[in-house]
Amino acid sequence: MREFVFALEFEPETNPVADLLAQYPETKLRSLSCHVTAETLWRVDHVTGSEEALNAVVDAVTTADYYADCLVRRDCEGEWETRTLDRSAETLILYSYWNRTQSCTSIPHLALEHFGDGLIFETTWRGRRYQWRLILPGDVTLSEFHGALDAEIADTGGVDIVRVRGTGADELGMSDPDSETVLSPEQDQALRAAVERGYYETPRAIETYDLAESLGVPGSTLSYRLRRAEAKLAVAHVENRPLSSLNDVTQ
């Protein structure tokens, strides 16, 4: 088997989902499953973020002029629908089905045309960077696929090759690139500000909305960043990981 990982970098105003995720940098859209035939594409995605961001995601994917995975922007008339399967305050499960036309194409369709059946897809989308991981037969060549993909996305962004390597059976597990315990810059900033301004004192020296206003972010966004940072710290403590594996929030 062979692993091919690459990322699309969308320019502003070329993809509605990329534009939205750029506004909410902590929001992540990760595939749970993705299936393709010559005429159709259907997938299930797991979205995490603040409640405000999730509301915006639902609105964007249900009102866009074209399906977000379609690489063609020239009068695409494919029929598609996106539905919410499950929803909580911080997570969203989306189901999408797309019936393409002859003028439409997508990464899974390009892969099907160049490599045939039996492919495995994994995606992670944050901001304007949409990363794909493909598991392919070991004897395929990638140059024609890469050229076709580069030509399709030329007007909207670029393609960044992350890695190409042979993959043993014990390495086929799908990984979450954001599963590390290291805090994101936004989480680190929120946690430092909370500690410095007495948010964790008893009683609190500052409330969430005041702290959020001082940082210039919505209150829901600050609450989400603090919860994610606290969760990572808790996991590190319970699993007895050294706190040096996290950002040093005491500096």
Side-chain angles (χ1 to χ4, degrees):
M1 302 298 289
R2 199 172 191 186
E3 178 191 44
F4 180 34
V5 182
F6 59 91
L8 309 186
E9 295 281 355
F10 287 105
E11 296 292 337
E13 300 182 1
T14 60
N15 186 288
V17 176
D19 289 340
L20 173 63
L21 295 181
Q23 297 177 38
Y24 299 94
E26 286 201 15
T27 304
K28 180 179 68 173
L29 195 155
R30 178 172 59 87
S31 61
L32 297 179
S33 63
C34 181
H35 307 275
V36 63
T37 70
E39 293 80 23
T40 61
L41 171 69
W42 65 100
R43 57 185 295 165
V44 178
D45 293 288
H46 179 267
V47 190
T48 57
S50 66
E51 185 173 6
E52 178 185 1
L54 297 187
N55 289 337
V57 168
V58 171
D59 183 63
V61 299
T62 55
T63 62
D65 293 333
Y66 55 85
Y67 185 51
D69 269 347
C70 182
L71 299 177
V72 178
R73 304 294 180 260
R74 299 177 296 276
D75 300 322
C76 180
E77 297 179 353
E79 297 180 358
W80 58 275
E81 65 170 329
T82 298
R83 291 182 288 171
T84 300
L85 295 183
D86 194 18
R87 174 72 188 268
S88 68
E90 299 177 0
T91 62
L92 177 66
I93 306 296
L94 295 175
Y95 167 80
S96 298
Y97 179 84
W98 177 35
N99 190 11
R100 64 188 289 226
T101 66
Q102 289 186 344
S103 63
C104 299
T105 193
S106 68
I107 288 175
H109 286 113
L110 287 176
L112 181 66
E113 292 168 6
H114 285 83
F115 307 130
D117 295 326
L119 309 176
I120 300 175
F121 302 96
E122 178 192 39
T123 68
T124 303
W125 200 342
R126 299 194 70 165
R128 301 194 183 282
R129 185 176 178 85
Y130 191 12
Q131 181 165 300
W132 286 76
R133 182 183 185 224
L134 275 59
I135 303 299
L136 313 164
D139 58 349
V140 300
T141 57
L142 302 175
S143 58
E144 290 186 4
F145 170 77
H146 178 258
L149 176 59
D150 198 45
E152 290 291 351
I153 200 174
D155 295 334
T156 59
V159 182
D160 175 27
I161 305 301
V162 178
R163 64 177 177 271
V164 179
R165 67 178 182 181
T167 305
D170 59 340
E171 298 175 301
L172 288 179
M174 293 302 183
S175 61
D176 182 353
D178 295 322
S179 62
E180 312 93 45
T181 56
V182 177
L183 304 184
S184 71
E186 295 83 7
Q187 293 163 2
D188 178 59
Q189 179 195 40
L191 198 58
R192 287 177 185 271
V195 171
E196 292 169 356
R197 302 180 193 183
Y199 179 81
Y200 291 106
E201 294 178 5
T202 305
R204 284 180 175 171
I206 188 171
E207 294 299 326
T208 305
Y209 57 86
D210 290 324
L211 183 58
E213 184 177 0
S214 70
L215 293 174
V217 299
S220 60
T221 299
L222 176 64
S223 295
Y224 174 73
R225 291 176 180 176
L226 288 175
R227 285 195 298 272
R228 295 296 297 164
E230 291 160 2
K232 291 181 179 182
L233 288 167
V235 169
H237 175 74
V238 170
E239 296 184 356
N240 197 29
R241 297 175 185 165
L243 290 183
S244 59
S245 67
L246 301 167
N247 291 347
D248 184 7
V249 298
T250 62
Q251 290 182 351

